[in-house]
Amino acid sequence: MRIVQVASECHPFVKTGGLADAVQGLSAALAVRGHEVRVVLPAFRGALPDGATRLGTFAVAGAGRTWEATIWEAAPLWCGANTFPSPLPQRGRRWGKAPPSSCDGERSSPSGQTCRVWFVAIPPLYDRDGSPYLDRDGRAWWDNGERFAVFSRAAAMLALGLGPGAIAGWRAAVVHGHDWHAGLTSAFLRLGAEKEGIATPRTVFTIHNAAFQGWFPYSLFRALDLPDRWWDFRFLEAWGELNFLKAGVTLSDVVTTVSPGYAQELLAGKGDYGLQGALAQRAAEKAFLGIVNGIDPVAWNPLCDSHLASPIVPGRGFTAAKRSNRAALLARYGLGDTLEGNRALLVGFVGRLSEQKGVDWLLAALPETFERTPMRVVLLGSGDPLLERQAQTLAARYPQRLLVTIGYDESLAHLIYGGCDLFVMPSRFEPCGLAQLYAMRYGAVPVVRAVGGLRDTVIDESLGASANGFLFTGDGPQALGAALLRAFHCWRDRPRRWRTLVKNAMEGDYSWASRVSAYESLYRSEGGERGGET
């Protein structure tokens, strides 16, 4: 099947968050299954890899003007990542089940032959200082509406076989758009197919975070020459503005989000930001569902992760490996592996420093937690400048207890997962979450708030033999502090139960291979009504 993935990010070319990992992981898994996959990305500054091939140029209509787009093609960098040392010996492994994958044969199919990345290069729109979405002062680019409308139109043209040069005539069977940046792709597919007199590909649209929707004025709708019939609350209009995310929801054949729990929350009006009605309509048409994201088992493999001091071997070698990685992690901060003469529980956090992630609750809960337990906390991330300053201030107050790195460091992130005993995610809302999946694969037990994808992937310690972590339901620092204290007492006082949590966490299959069949069913399905009108 020919499948086009349309997104603003894909690891490792462009990444600001989990969207990039999800697009990369799904695309790689589809290629392994034998599908012919094309990932379409904007050629943001620094995204185009060395060795990319120029395919040609074509004209793309924008907001009252026409842009010349150059299309570049590259093999995805993950294709060469399937050569690893042999699996580590498992002699003496006490756990009853082998890890879900080893270092060999993670990807048995030559995905480099079936997957390509197409970059849409329009330098005035995409080759800029700053981030893909914000200028150097942290403000949204003034022309983001046109930037991503042009990108969506270009992606639609490529999927319809209207690309330049050697790819002219290459036509997709399925087009899968991700988040608001690709929200107009389904609209332009319909218009382009109608103009060319060809069938519209099946369209799937995924909401990764409904908090970001792409709101723009009516003037942009007019400038893009979109049909008047779509300026309606049932389609693209929302509260008098053009809403890109709503366009993807209403005009795609089927809509997904990144966990069943998050889908339920959106339908209940929790964190929907005005999208509840449109999603309820799609759900009534049996065209809206949640599918939990996966993780890349090659990039996140504790058996052969070059960022770790020691490979993490399930079973008998686990404790020694964890101690080795914890010592390497603490050494990064000039500390040894003791606290007041005793080994302390080490807690990790990796993510955006934002209220959504509950970082304000975490920082407020730590002083009392430090008073009541000998925990240490390692925090890696960036985001809200106020939260960054608060984290650094608290770290100065507790220099032996709170270890903070502002920014992002891929190697350090892996070492945190590999060296910590516990991993905390106190999110106010969490569409899916990937960090808890990484943590569990590396043997760090998660403490998470029971929202969205977190409650879909973490089973609370109180729920019996299948438990793999700790869930809490309340709001604020006190609820989080109580959950951390509960985890601490389990770790200190119930070592056999703790080992069961670690075992269950590590033995879970979080790979995209276990998720991809759900998308294949959607791509092939004739079920669900086509959104909107044709």
Side-chain angles (χ1 to χ4, degrees):
M1 193 184 311
R2 287 182 170 180
I3 302 167
V4 170
Q5 303 285 336
V6 184
S8 60
E9 300 183 28
C10 180
H11 178 75
F13 305 103
V14 185
K15 178 177 177 177
T16 69
L19 170 64
D21 293 325
V23 173
Q24 178 265 320
L26 176 58
S27 300
L30 288 166
V32 166
R33 302 273 282 201
H35 300 290
E36 193 173 345
V37 182
R38 298 293 180 266
V39 182
V40 183
L41 298 173
F44 295 119
R45 179 165 295 181
L48 197 64
D50 294 337
T53 302
R54 184 179 182 274
L55 298 179
T57 63
F58 68 148
V60 183
R65 53 185 161 179
T66 299
W67 298 93
E68 183 178 85
T70 302
I71 306 302
W72 296 82
E73 180 181 83
L77 300 184
W78 61 80
C79 289
N82 58 354
T83 302
F84 288 102
S86 296
L88 292 164
Q90 296 297 303
R91 291 188 301 273
R93 177 170 48 82
R94 291 179 178 171
W95 296 353
K97 180 179 171 185
S101 56
S102 67
C103 298
D104 259 351
E106 292 278 4
R107 299 189 185 121
S108 58
S109 171
S111 58
Q113 297 178 15
T114 59
C115 188
R116 288 287 186 272
V117 181
W118 286 344
F119 294 88
V120 179
I122 305 175
L125 293 181
Y126 309 126
D127 188 6
R128 300 177 176 180
D129 288 337
S131 84
Y133 320 115
L134 309 174
D135 64 20
R136 286 179 293 180
D137 296 323
R139 295 172 298 202
W141 291 107
W142 67 274
D143 58 347
N144 269 347
E146 182 172 20
R147 295 174 77 222
F148 291 106
V150 169
F151 169 65
S152 293
R153 194 191 296 266
M157 294 173 69
L158 293 170
L160 291 171
L162 306 178
I167 58 173
W170 189 96
R171 190 174 301 167
V174 177
V175 179
H176 187 162
H178 298 266
D179 265 352
W180 75 262
H181 321 95
L184 289 181
T185 305
S186 292
F188 289 130
L189 282 167
R190 292 190 185 198
L191 298 176
E194 181 181 358
K195 180 180 178 181
E196 297 295 320
I198 57 179
T200 306
R202 182 163 175 79
T203 51
V204 176
F205 183 73
T206 296
I207 301 168
H208 292 261
N209 191 336
F212 304 100
Q213 298 193 10
W215 298 80
F216 300 100
Y218 173 69
S219 58
L220 180 62
F221 178 89
R222 300 303 307 164
L224 293 173
D225 198 26
L226 294 166
D228 289 338
R229 68 182 184 275
W230 285 347
W231 189 254
D232 186 291
F233 75 94
R234 295 170 296 173
F235 303 112
L236 277 61
E237 184 269 338
W239 305 100
E241 292 192 283
L242 170 61
N243 185 310
F244 280 35
L245 193 71
K246 189 175 182 181
V249 168
T250 59
L251 295 179
S252 299
D253 292 323
V254 65
V255 182
T256 74
T257 191
V258 291
S259 71
Y262 190 52
Q264 293 168 8
E265 290 172 1
L266 293 176
L267 290 172
K270 298 178 181 178
D272 66 303
Y273 294 88
L275 209 57
Q276 181 187 22
L279 291 173
Q281 179 61 39
R282 300 318 315 274
E285 298 166 354
K286 301 188 184 304
F288 176 55
L289 73 160
I291 302 172
V292 175
N293 277 341
I295 64 175
D296 185 338
V298 173
W300 298 95
N301 190 337
L303 292 171
C304 45
D305 188 329
S306 62
H307 300 294
L308 300 182
S310 296
I312 300 176
V313 182
R316 180 170 292 171
F318 173 79
T319 300
K322 270 289 182 177
R323 284 177 177 168
S324 173
N325 287 304
R326 131 192 226 98
L329 174 59
L330 293 175
R332 295 275 295 256
Y333 295 93
L335 298 175
D337 195 15
T338 60
L339 182 64
E340 298 174 354
N342 296 302
R343 191 176 81 86
L345 182 71
L346 190 59
V347 183
F349 174 91
V350 178
R352 280 188 295 113
L353 304 189
S354 67
E355 287 193 354
Q356 182 217 318
K357 299 294 185 181
V359 174
D360 54 329
W361 293 348
L362 176 61
L363 296 177
L366 286 182
E368 183 176 351
T369 300
F370 289 154
E371 291 297 321
R372 301 181 68 177
T373 75
M375 285 187 191
R376 271 181 171 147
V377 177
V378 183
L379 183 149
L380 169 64
S382 62
D384 185 330
L386 177 60
L387 291 175
E388 290 180 358
R389 290 194 296 271
Q390 289 177 349
Q392 291 171 319
T393 299
L394 194 62
R397 179 179 167 190
Y398 296 98
Q400 300 289 312
R401 310 292 298 279
L402 177 59
L403 314 174
V404 171
T405 297
I406 300 299
Y408 186 72
D409 180 319
E410 186 77 14
S411 178
L412 179 58
H414 284 244
L415 197 54
I416 289 173
Y417 294 121
C420 285
D421 305 293
L422 205 65
F423 191 85
V424 62
M425 290 183 70
S427 304
R428 283 176 168 82
F429 68 93
E430 193 64 61
C432 178
L434 295 176
Q436 84 278 13
L437 304 181
Y438 302 147
M440 287 192 287
R441 192 161 199 225
Y442 282 57
V445 176
V447 174
V448 304
R449 191 161 177 264
V451 293
L454 298 179
R455 64 185 171 95
D456 288 329
T457 55
V458 178
I459 302 170
D460 187 71
E461 183 275 331
S462 66
L463 296 180
S466 61
N468 59 12
F470 298 86
L471 289 164
F472 70 97
T473 57
D475 296 339
Q478 287 186 333
L480 171 58
L484 289 171
L485 193 61
R486 184 160 67 99
F488 170 75
H489 285 304
C490 181
W491 171 82
R492 187 189 66 182
D493 303 330
R494 302 167 63 198
R496 181 174 297 180
R497 181 60 173 161
W498 184 266
R499 286 194 296 271
T500 298
L501 295 177
V502 173
K503 170 182 177 292
N504 291 342
M506 291 194 75
E507 288 183 351
D509 185 356
Y510 314 114
S511 70
W512 272 107
S514 65
R515 323 287 203 222
V516 70
S517 61
Y519 282 103
E520 288 178 313
S521 296
L522 292 181
Y523 294 163
R524 294 191 176 103
S525 174
E526 297 301 324
E529 301 174 21
R530 180 180 293 278
E533 57 183 62
T534 56

